[in-house]
Amino acid sequence: MRRYKLPPLDLLEAFEAAARHLSFTRAADELALTQSAVSRQIAALEDSLGVPLFQRMHRALRLTESGELFARTASAVLMQLQGATEQLRQIERQKTVVVTTTPGFAGLWLIPRLSSFTARHPGVDVRISASFTLVKLEREGVDIAIRYCASAAAGPQAVKLFGEVMTPVCSPALRRTPGKPLKKPEDLRHHTLLYTEQSHSAPLYDWSMWLRAMQLDIKPAAALYFSDYDQMVSAALRGQGVALGRLPLVEQLVRERKLVTPFSQSVASPMGYHLLRSANSADKSEVSDFSAWLMEEAAR
């Protein structure tokens, strides 16, 4: 059995507007209805309640005593319902920043630093999508893209976070392997080189570029190939070979001595990391906060 025997909400809305304006016509304008539709809704409400709510006079409306009582109650109830609805919508509109970037940048640079952002902005949810797919930010509902590309390809709205320097890195244990020196670039011939083999990874920006810059043409002892850069770095951490480190992605690992740079030689890459914001996020303070935090961390 129904606990509440109440008239439909649309009838209450029509009555509240008509009672406030004392006009079916103005109530109709407010509700985007016709005057006759509002009149029918009021009649249906009166029929449901069994009492008249309005005195209908020539070119005028007046609330009956029952109408005045019901108008006060209906107005208060609708206001409470509106307030509760707005509260729920605010909860639904939880502050969220959606970020797309490469798996390497996400795993090696962004995620290790995220705790400093969440500590500063505990009410903001950050959602990271790690992919090499260049998504349309507005269409996919993404707030921020951090793109790995040449500056000319980043677009006029992009902000460069930092460039990239490449230098070999390996585990401290691998560097100390007996009988396999790793003191000068030519010594790489004694070791396994680690590569990424994604279709999106231009070989000019991998070992071939660094070896050409060193004027070396050597064949390594072996080669291991990985689908993602962070997988390759994981292999380097475990002493499985020498990786071409991309600074600043592996800079923290080098600072912590989990990886070492056996040579002083490095090569500047034409690639870099660029921040791009969606036009749809222009008025989202949480996205502005996250962008500012990114640039602050990049400046370090």
Side-chain angles (χ1 to χ4, degrees):
M1 187 175 74
R2 289 176 58 189
R3 182 176 177 183
Y4 301 108
K5 296 181 179 180
L6 300 173
L9 183 61
D10 58 336
L11 301 188
L12 292 179
E13 286 185 290
F15 168 71
E16 190 278 333
R20 185 161 26 89
H21 293 294
L22 290 178
S23 167
F24 290 167
T25 300
R26 282 199 275 174
D29 291 340
E30 180 179 305
L31 300 172
L33 297 172
T34 64
Q35 188 272 346
S36 59
V38 171
S39 181
R40 286 194 299 272
Q41 287 179 325
I42 299 301
L45 179 61
E46 290 175 322
D47 184 61
S48 172
L49 297 173
V51 294
L53 300 172
F54 290 98
Q55 291 180 354
R56 293 159 177 80
M57 300 174 291
H58 183 64
R59 297 181 179 274
L61 277 180
R62 182 179 298 167
L63 285 165
T64 64
E65 185 176 342
S66 297
E68 289 181 355
L69 174 64
F70 197 63
R72 288 193 295 272
T73 303
S75 178
V77 168
L78 289 172
M79 288 292 288
Q80 286 183 314
L81 188 58
Q82 175 67 19
T85 301
E86 283 303 311
Q87 283 185 318
L88 291 177
R89 285 174 175 164
Q90 287 296 330
I91 293 172
E92 183 65 23
R93 289 195 294 266
Q94 173 71 33
K95 290 184 176 181
T96 302
V97 180
V98 181
V99 183
T100 180
T101 189
T102 64
F105 185 88
L108 294 170
W109 193 92
L110 180 58
I111 292 172
R113 290 168 168 80
L114 266 182
S115 59
S116 71
F117 176 80
T118 54
R120 198 182 302 177
H121 303 280
V124 178
D125 293 341
V126 180
R127 300 179 185 179
I128 299 173
S129 173
S131 169
F132 285 96
T133 303
L134 291 180
V135 301
K136 297 283 188 181
L137 303 189
E138 288 77 14
R139 186 178 67 191
E140 300 295 331
V142 175
D143 298 306
I144 289 176
I146 302 157
R147 295 203 166 140
Y148 175 64
C149 59
S151 295
Q157 305 302 319
V159 176
K160 187 173 183 179
L161 294 176
F162 42 71
E164 178 180 73
V165 174
M166 301 189 301
T167 190
V169 295
C170 65
S171 70
L174 184 68
R175 190 181 188 184
R176 297 191 298 265
T177 303
K180 291 185 178 181
L182 200 52
K183 296 181 179 180
K184 56 186 184 299
E186 292 86 341
D187 292 337
L188 289 170
R189 62 170 50 93
H190 304 298
H191 293 270
T192 298
L193 296 190
L194 308 179
Y195 293 83
T196 53
E197 58 178 357
Q198 310 115 324
S199 59
H200 51 263
S201 179
L204 288 175
Y205 308 142
D206 213 318
W207 274 114
S208 57
M209 177 183 180
W210 193 87
L211 291 171
R212 273 200 312 276
M214 298 300 106
Q215 298 182 335
L216 290 176
D217 183 14
I218 63 172
K219 182 178 180 180
L224 290 176
Y225 292 85
F226 301 88
S227 61
D228 288 311
Y229 186 74
D230 52 342
Q231 294 174 357
M232 185 185 71
V233 171
S234 179
L237 288 166
R238 286 162 176 77
Q240 296 176 11
V242 183
L244 189 59
R246 300 177 184 272
L247 304 177
L249 293 195
V250 298
E251 189 171 17
Q252 186 63 29
L253 295 173
V254 172
R255 188 178 296 117
E256 295 170 353
R257 301 293 293 173
K258 294 177 180 178
L259 291 174
V260 295
T261 55
F263 320 125
S264 60
Q265 293 90 335
S266 62
V267 175
S269 164
M271 307 291 275
Y273 294 85
H274 302 82
L275 167 65
L276 186 65
R277 281 186 60 169
S278 166
N280 293 345
S281 69
D283 60 346
K284 294 177 67 175
S285 62
E286 60 271 28
V287 176
S288 297
D289 291 338
F290 192 82
S291 299
W293 171 80
L294 274 175
M295 290 187 283
E296 179 183 319
E297 288 294 317
R300 296 180 189 275

